Amino acid sequence: EEEAKAAISTLTHTELNGRTIFVREDREVSSGGRAGFGSGSAGKNSHNTSVYVWNLSYDTSWQDLKDHMRKAGNVDMATILTSAGGTSSGCGVVVYQKPFEAARAIRELQDSELNGREIKIREDRSPAGGRGGGRFGGRG
């Protein structure tokens, strides 16, 4: 656990392949043994209506994200996380009206293409639907 905390504090807000990265603890354990890749707790029994989306193009707007994610259900809000300078961090949070819509997004939109990039999606586990840290741009 101490090594994880050290990695978070050392690596967050650093650059990897020309993109700023953000590191946070991920405690989800799925039946496949791989955390955070569309498996795990976002199933039938989940009450979470929000998903975390990453590998977004820096040019993706909240409206682009919302329009794409509507393929899985009714989107209440889509938000692009931004740096302190106001530029995209390449990730965002989408809030659906129903938990099953969030689960469908993870199942059906995983690795789908948005603005030339294959996006990744998992259940959002941040407090208050991802609003626990960082800055957000856009609304729904």
Side-chain angles (χ1 to χ4, degrees), residues 2 41 53 61 90 104 111 114 116 128 133:
E2 290 303 314
S41 62
V53 184
S61 70
R104 182 186 303 143
D111 298 320
L114 175 59

Side-chain angles (χ1 to χ4, degrees), residues 39-127:
S39 56
S41 62
K44 296 178 205 170
N45 298 325
S46 176
H47 299 292
N48 198 342
T49 58
S50 60
V51 294
Y52 177 77
V53 184
W54 73 99
N55 201 36
L56 296 173
S57 164
Y58 290 138
D59 298 326
T60 300
S61 70
W62 67 267
Q63 188 67 56
D64 294 335
L65 181 59
K66 184 174 183 177
D67 290 345
H68 183 76
M69 301 302 285
R70 276 188 181 134
K71 296 173 186 173
N74 295 312
V75 175
D76 278 345
M77 184 178 72
T79 309
I80 301 293
L81 279 73
T82 58
S83 69
T87 59
S88 172
S89 297
C91 53
V93 175
V94 177
V95 180
Y96 286 93
Q97 291 180 359
K98 305 282 183 185
F100 74 86
E101 294 169 323
R104 182 186 303 143
I106 293 168
R107 263 192 336 271
E108 296 180 7
L109 298 178
Q110 190 71 252
D111 298 320
S112 62
E113 188 173 312
L114 175 59
N115 294 342
R117 296 186 66 93
E118 275 190 14
I119 62 170
K120 302 293 182 185
I121 308 166
R122 67 161 168 75
E123 182 175 3
D124 181 45
R125 295 181 303 276
S126 295

Side-chain angles (χ1 to χ4, degrees), residues 15-30:
E15 193 170 299
L16 177 65
N17 296 330
R19 293 179 68 106
T20 302
I21 63 169
F22 299 89
V23 182
R24 69 180 189 186
E25 188 174 1
D26 185 2
R27 292 183 178 225
E28 177 181 347
V29 177
S30 67

